[in-house]
């Protein structure tokens, strides 16, 4: 049985939580691959300090003292005597390099993207060396040499074919000892520059490794008892979902459920490798099992929400030709690397709306105005306008179409509580019903929808 276990920031954040990690890994029956995030909260601080250093401020000096102490304390407490000096010397040289980068930033006073990527990489480079040193019988593997990215518009995306073959070369099966690697970090396949897979990307590293090695199971160890029916920070009485399908988890995560980084699911889904969500702080809890099985089809499985959304609404006679407007709008977005969350039927008649991340909103508006400029001129479209500061609330469950009147009931519930529904996508997918509301009302909306779907 080959398992890939990923431990997130909180799981590797403190001496106590790292002790839990050690117990979990050392009680496994066979050697496993362990992927770790940076110490909890460190990535945010590395970024904030890089920004302030690039403004010429010297607070990196004090911040480095804190970062050093945090890593030294952990090494002191958890690494056995015979391995401590080795780990300390690697971590020390990484800390020195980090401090050098900060110093450099105070001098050049700009923050190039590649320098920021290098700065954040130190988090996982250090935590992975520490975890490998902490475990009995483990080897360390440098993700910078294994996970390769390529440029796609202004993003770095994994080069799957190259990464798969490098993973297979690096982790020779059957494993003889536990193998530890840092999540999140990567290098560009052409330039060799340090890159990363995006915030929260350690989950994705673990999934890439699991898929390349045809592992039997991917375990995501985090700080909650499993995938819940809603974000527990918003809905206090959200319940654990014991089992769900890949598609359901994919939909919930792409609509904002932070528990798994969205790109993670596809590679393991493709190989039919189940995922378990487990709690490092409560390892006895059964967690959530995600596989191709759909238990209890035709019921809402969970709700989630996504903020920072823009919606572009087009009005005019052309909007009644749904097939044409749909394909032209989608193609215009795809050509520009803009991912569209949903196509919605807005409350305004004779109109058509699409929603996208707010950061892409301006670009999307420009492209749509360009695409449809002939129709704007001949009057087939009368307006193309954008609204910002919106949120999408998604209700997810395979076969949800079978739930009678769920879409209209959601709208009724929200309108009854004065949560204005700007648009709804109901019926386009058999898995998700999504409504667009103003971000100021998202918490209220989520609470109402959660109680409607999961009555107590
Ligand atoms: P890690 O550092 O382990 O990667 P994350 O903070 O990325 O952890 O993800 C776990 C967090 O996701 C939980 O603490 C919880 O607050 C949040 N979360 C949001 N939506 C959900 C959900 N539906 N189920 C469980 N957790 C959720
Ligand atoms: N350390 C990275 C982050 O905070 C990656 C991860 O934790 O998954 O985004
Ligand atoms: Mg995470």
């Amino acid at each position: 049985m080959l398992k890939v276990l990923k431990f997130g920031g909180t799981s590797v954040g403190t001496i106590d939580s790292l002790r839990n990690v050690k117990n979990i890994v050392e009680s496994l029956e066979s050697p496993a691959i362990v992927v770790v995030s940076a110490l909890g909260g460190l990535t945010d601080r590395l970024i904030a300090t890089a920004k302030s250093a690039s403004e010429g401020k010297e607070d990196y000096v004090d911040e480095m003292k804190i970062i050093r102490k945090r890593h030294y304390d952990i090494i002191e407490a958890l690494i056995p005597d015979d391995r401590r000096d080795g780990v300390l010397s690697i971590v020390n040289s990484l800390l020195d390099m980090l401090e050098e980068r900060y110093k450099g930033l105070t001098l050049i006073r700009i923050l190039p993207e590649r320098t920021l990527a290098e700065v954040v990489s130190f988090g996982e480079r250090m935590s992975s060396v520490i975890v490998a040193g902490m475990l009995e019988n483990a080897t360390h593997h440098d993700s910078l040499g294994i996970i390769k990215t390529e440029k796609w518009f202004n993003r770095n995306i994994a080069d799957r074919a190259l990464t798969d073959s490098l993973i297979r070369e690096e982790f020779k099966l059957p494993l003889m000892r536990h193998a530890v690697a840092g999540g999140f970090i990567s290098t560009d396949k052409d330039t060799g520059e340090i890159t990363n897979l995006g915030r929260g990307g350690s989950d994705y590293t673990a999934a890439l490794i699991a898929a390349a090695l045809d592992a039997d199971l991917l375990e995501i160890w985090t700080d909650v008892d499993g995938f819940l029916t809603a974000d527990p920070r918003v809905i206090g009485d959200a319940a654990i979902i014991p089992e769900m399908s890949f598609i359901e988890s994919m939909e919930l995560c792409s609509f904002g459920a932070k528990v798994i980084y969205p790109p993670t699911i596809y590679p393991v889904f493709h190989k039919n490798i189940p995922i378990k969500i487990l709690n490092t702080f409560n390892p006895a809890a059964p967690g959530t099992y995600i596989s191709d099985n759909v238990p209890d089809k035709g019921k809402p499985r969970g709700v989630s929400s996504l903020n920072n959304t823009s919606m572009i609404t087009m009005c005019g006679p052309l909007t009644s030709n749904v097939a044409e407007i749909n394909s032209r709008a989608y193609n215009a977005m795809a050509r520009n690397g803009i991912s569209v969350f949903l196509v919605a039927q807005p409350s305004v008649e004779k109109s058509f709306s699409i929603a996208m991340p707010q950061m892409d909103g301006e670009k999307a508006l420009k492209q749509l105005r360009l695409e449809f400029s002939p129709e704007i001129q001949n009057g087939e479209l009368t307006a193309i306008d954008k609204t910002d500061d919106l949120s999408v609330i998604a209700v997810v469950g395979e076969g949800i179409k079978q739930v009678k009147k769920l879409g209209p009931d959601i709208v009724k519930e929200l309108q009854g509580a004065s949560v204005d529904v700007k648009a709804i996508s109901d019926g386009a997918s058999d898995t998700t019903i999504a409504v667009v509301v103003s971000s100021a009302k998202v918490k209220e909306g989520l609470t109402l929808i959660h109680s409607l779907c999961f009555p107590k």
Side-chain angles (χ1 to χ4, degrees):
M1 165 97 171
L2 178 63
K3 280 207 247 184
V4 178
L5 295 82
K6 178 262 171 177
F7 292 91
T10 45
S11 303
V12 297
T14 64
I15 293 170
D16 284 345
S17 66
L18 278 161
R19 284 209 174 96
N20 294 352
V21 171
K22 185 171 161 66
N23 288 337
I24 291 163
V25 177
E26 288 177 358
S27 42
L28 294 171
E29 274 163 19
S30 43
I33 294 175
V34 176
V35 174
V36 293
S37 293
L39 306 192
L42 185 67
T43 308
D44 285 337
R45 294 185 72 147
L46 291 172
I47 294 170
T49 309
K51 285 190 179 144
S52 101
S54 69
E55 288 158 8
K57 297 183 194 143
E58 304 259 324
D59 38 1
Y60 77 89
V61 177
D62 287 338
E63 183 64 21
M64 278 308 303
K65 288 185 188 143
I66 298 170
I67 297 178
R68 279 184 193 274
K69 181 167 184 329
R70 190 169 174 202
H71 286 82
Y72 292 157
D73 286 351
I74 288 175
I75 293 170
E76 174 70 29
L78 296 173
I79 314 280
D81 293 347
D82 59 331
R83 298 198 288 271
R84 193 176 304 132
D85 284 350
V87 170
L88 202 55
S89 110
I90 299 172
V91 170
N92 244 332
S93 69
L94 290 168
L95 286 162
D96 291 346
M97 278 159 75
L98 173 61
E99 190 150 6
E100 274 300 303
R101 294 299 169 275
Y102 282 146
K103 193 171 166 196
L105 286 174
T106 61
L107 302 174
I108 61 168
R109 303 225 172 177
I110 46 162
L111 183 50
E113 193 200 322
R114 62 171 197 283
T115 313
L116 182 62
E118 188 187 356
V119 164
V120 293
S121 75
F122 287 105
E124 272 76 4
R125 287 156 84 185
M126 294 190 288
S127 64
S128 56
V129 168
I130 292 175
V131 171
M134 170 186 84
L135 296 171
E136 286 308 322
N137 209 14
T139 49
H140 177 261
H141 300 259
D142 184 2
S143 296
L144 294 179
I146 312 169
I147 311 293
K148 291 284 172 181
T149 60
E150 58 190 339
K151 276 261 176 257
W152 188 73
F153 293 93
N154 52 0
R155 302 217 306 267
N156 296 306
I157 59 162
D159 178 329
R160 286 293 309 278
L162 179 58
T163 299
D164 277 6
S165 69
L166 290 170
I167 291 171
R168 286 192 205 110
E169 253 169 57
E170 180 77 19
F171 302 97
K172 289 272 179 273
L173 300 181
L175 288 181
M176 294 304 168
R177 308 161 73 187
H178 297 308
V180 181
F184 175 61
I185 55 175
S186 47
T187 46
D188 184 277
K189 69 164 184 179
D190 299 314
T191 64
E193 275 169 6
I194 296 179
T195 56
N196 60 61
L197 302 174
R199 293 304 307 273
S202 295
D203 299 338
Y204 188 33
T205 307
L208 292 174
I209 296 176
L213 299 179
D214 289 307
D216 299 292
L217 184 64
L218 168 62
E219 292 185 349
I220 306 280
W221 288 85
T222 182
D223 60 353
V224 280
D225 276 347
F227 211 125
L228 297 155
T229 50
D231 184 343
R233 291 162 303 181
V234 183
I235 308 290
D237 61 353
I240 309 287
I241 305 167
E243 202 184 332
M244 69 203 297
S245 73
F246 286 120
I247 306 265
E248 289 168 339
S249 67
M250 207 138 58
E251 285 286 282
L252 281 167
C253 293
S254 51
F255 282 108
K258 198 194 162 204
V259 60
I260 314 175
Y261 182 54
T264 305
I265 301 152
Y266 185 74
V268 284
F269 171 32
H270 187 67
K271 288 280 185 97
N272 201 7
I273 301 168
I275 309 173
K276 260 187 173 184
I277 310 293
L278 294 155
N279 191 351
T280 305
F281 303 88
N282 184 17
T288 299
Y289 187 72
I290 304 171
S291 71
D292 61 354
N293 183 40
V294 191
D296 251 351
K297 202 170 173 177
K299 277 192 182 158
R301 188 82 58 208
V303 300
S304 59
S305 66
L306 195 60
N307 296 334
N308 301 320
T309 295
S310 291
M311 187 167 81
I312 297 180
T313 301
M314 300 185 236
C315 300
L318 185 74
T319 58
S320 43
N321 187 347
V322 177
E324 178 177 347
I325 201 155
N326 214 336
S327 75
R328 282 175 60 192
Y330 253 101
N331 285 334
M333 296 299 96
R335 280 197 306 271
N336 289 282
I338 299 171
S339 55
V340 173
F341 300 146
L342 64 100
V343 173
Q345 301 118 33
S347 28
V348 192
E349 284 227 351
K350 284 230 162 68
S351 68
F352 170 89
S353 290
I354 55 174
M356 71 278 309
Q358 191 153 309
M359 61 176 186
D360 292 331
E362 265 314 306
K363 187 171 165 195
L365 182 65
K366 215 168 119 199
Q367 291 304 325
L368 289 172
R369 288 192 169 146
L370 199 67
E371 169 68 31
F372 292 101
S373 67
E375 286 78 7
I376 294 171
Q377 271 169 27
N378 69 21
E380 282 194 72
L381 283 180
T382 50
I384 304 187
D385 293 311
K386 173 168 74 76
T387 318
D388 290 336
D389 301 323
L390 299 174
S391 297
V392 181
I393 303 178
V395 179
V396 172
E398 283 202 54
I400 207 165
K401 263 191 193 166
Q402 296 160 30
V403 187
K404 257 205 186 133
K405 295 205 295 82
L406 183 57
D409 282 350
I410 289 171
V411 174
K412 206 164 115 197
E413 188 80 12
L414 294 178
Q415 307 283 38
S418 310
V419 178
D420 189 23
V421 177
K422 314 272 185 206
I424 177 163
S425 171
D426 177 17
S429 136
D430 191 26
T431 307
T432 302
I433 297 176
V435 289
V436 180
V437 301
S438 111
S439 293
K441 295 273 186 175
V442 65
K443 185 168 181 197
E444 211 177 326
L446 200 67
T447 310
L448 289 164
I449 295 177
H450 188 263
S451 331
L452 179 78
C453 294
F454 307 100
K456 285 269 150 355

